[in-house]
Structure formats: structure tokens, C-alpha cells
Amino acid sequence: MTSAPARLLIIGPQGSGKGTQGVRIAEALGIPAVSTGDVFRANVKEGTELGLKVKAIIDAGDLVPDDLTSAIVRDRLAEADAAGGFLLDGYPRNLGQVADLDAFLQERGEALTAVIELSVPREESIQRLSLRAAEQGRADDNEESIAKRLAIYESETAPILDVYRARGIVDEIDGVGSLDEITERITAALAARAISA
Ligand code: AMP
């Protein structure tokens, strides 16, 4: 069986484990994992112009403006390693970004081929985020910012799933279980779409 191209999005509330699973799946498929959160955090850490611009926004748990975020993703996807496929983590995050992504993929004659929705109950997300705060000391993993990010997820990010559901590309994956179990579930869902290594 020939494989379908892996142009993927992994989506789920903060604390759903999408970052960890995204990296695992991308590695298994030999495609780059592109996390806008990681790009922003790296820039904040290095004190770049972009980092200085977005630090306060990220610490407060707000969304970085769409034009800035979409330009970063567009440039990243133009790199050679993303030509054969990619996994997006944390982008698009609202309907405006869906339109931006559609527009620049269309220019390449491409579209997303699968959207992995990791579902985790709210209490479990909050528990995992508090644990991560203790382990990694992320500045935005404080109570106020966590509450804001989860609220933004529900009001702005969850609605983008309706758009992708209408296209028939969403696989809902139970995000509760061991890391390996969840990776296995995602791998099976992608294989059913002929997306495999
Ligand atoms: P994440 O690691 O995906 O939870 O992202 C951490 C923070 O980076 C978010 O709370 C936002 O402030 C910012 N961010 C990441 N991705 C996006 C995006 N697609 N649009 C706007 N802001 C973003």
C-alpha cells in the first residue's frame, strides 16, 4: 500500500500531552514536528526581537497575534525538511489561523491530511499542568495563566475542530493512558488513513 502524505495537526487542551505525542509521531514518520509554543519559548529564552515582543503575551496566557504566528509557521513549512510532510502542534489555534494555513497550503497544492484530537478530561489536564509547572518551571504554568489558556482553548481553539470534522479528517484519540498506549492509538488511527512510515 502506498502511504498518504503526512501533513498533520495534533490538537488538544493544554496538558493533554500533545507536545510529547507530537514529537513521538513525527519521529516515527520521519517528518518535522513544528510547535509554535516551542518556537516562541526558544525566542524568549534567547532574548531575540520576537522573544521580547511575545514574552508578556505568553506569560499572561494570551494568544500571540495571528499575523505574527502565521508568518512564523509559513516560513518554517517552507524549509526543505517539511516538503514531504510535517506535524503541527499548537497551530492553528483559532479560525483566523485556519484560514491562513489553508491559504498557504493551497498555494503549494496541499492540505492537511489528518487532525489528531487528543481528548483529556479537564481535571486531568489541570493536574498534569500543575505537575509540569513543578518539574519544568514554565512561567505560564501558573494558576491564572492555566485557567486563561484552558478558557481560550474552549472558546477559540475547539471550534476549529468543527471545520476539520466537516472535511472528514479528524481522529479523536483518548488521551488517558500510558505514553505508549496513546502513541499506539494515534499510530493505528493514522494507519487507517494510509499514513504510516
Ligand atoms: P503551547 O506550548 O502550545 O501551549 O503555547 C504556549 C504559548 O505560546 C501560548 O499560550 C500562546 O501564548 C503562544 N502560542 C503558541 N501557539 C500559538 C498560536 N498558534 N497562536 C497564538 N499564540 C500561540
Side-chain angles (χ1 to χ4, degrees), residues 21-194:
Q21 292 297 335
V23 167
R24 285 180 155 220
I25 296 297
E27 261 172 25
L29 294 174
I31 52 174
V34 176
S35 156
T36 41
D38 282 352
V39 172
F40 290 138
R41 276 185 293 278
N43 277 275
V44 169
K45 203 168 156 201
E46 286 159 25
T48 65
E49 200 181 321
L50 170 67
L52 294 175
K53 224 187 258 182
V54 300
K55 183 177 186 325
I57 300 175
I58 292 176
D59 287 353
D62 286 317
L63 289 185
V64 174
D66 289 352
D67 51 351
L68 202 58
T69 310
S70 290
I72 287 169
V73 175
R74 186 195 185 102
D75 288 351
R76 178 64 188 85
L77 294 186
E79 286 178 36
D81 65 341
F86 51 79
L87 180 144
L88 292 169
D89 162 10
Y91 177 94
R93 224 171 175 106
N94 59 26
L95 292 169
Q97 294 179 10
V98 169
D100 290 344
L101 177 65
D102 278 346
F104 58 76
L105 287 181
Q106 240 158 42
E107 284 170 18
R108 301 157 48 136
E110 295 178 354
L112 291 181
T113 50
V115 174
I116 302 153
E117 177 192 1
L118 265 191
S119 1
V120 171
R122 194 186 168 95
E123 315 75 66
E124 172 118 6
S125 302
I126 293 174
Q127 221 171 32
R128 291 188 195 174
L129 285 172
S130 316
L131 200 71
R132 183 172 79 186
E135 284 170 358
Q136 300 179 4
R138 257 176 66 163
D140 60 349
D141 279 343
N142 61 71
E143 212 170 305
E144 204 178 321
S145 168
I146 288 173
K148 193 187 277 176
R149 279 149 62 215
L150 286 170
I152 292 176
Y153 180 80
E154 272 153 36
S155 63
E156 293 196 43
T157 308
I160 79 174
L161 282 164
D162 293 335
V163 175
Y164 290 130
R165 255 186 228 111
R167 297 183 193 173
I169 55 171
V170 177
D171 288 314
E172 187 181 348
I173 306 289
D174 177 3
V176 180
S178 73
L179 278 184
D180 285 344
E181 273 165 356
I182 298 164
T183 305
E184 194 47 46
R185 287 175 200 149
I186 298 171
T187 306
L190 293 176
R193 294 182 183 276

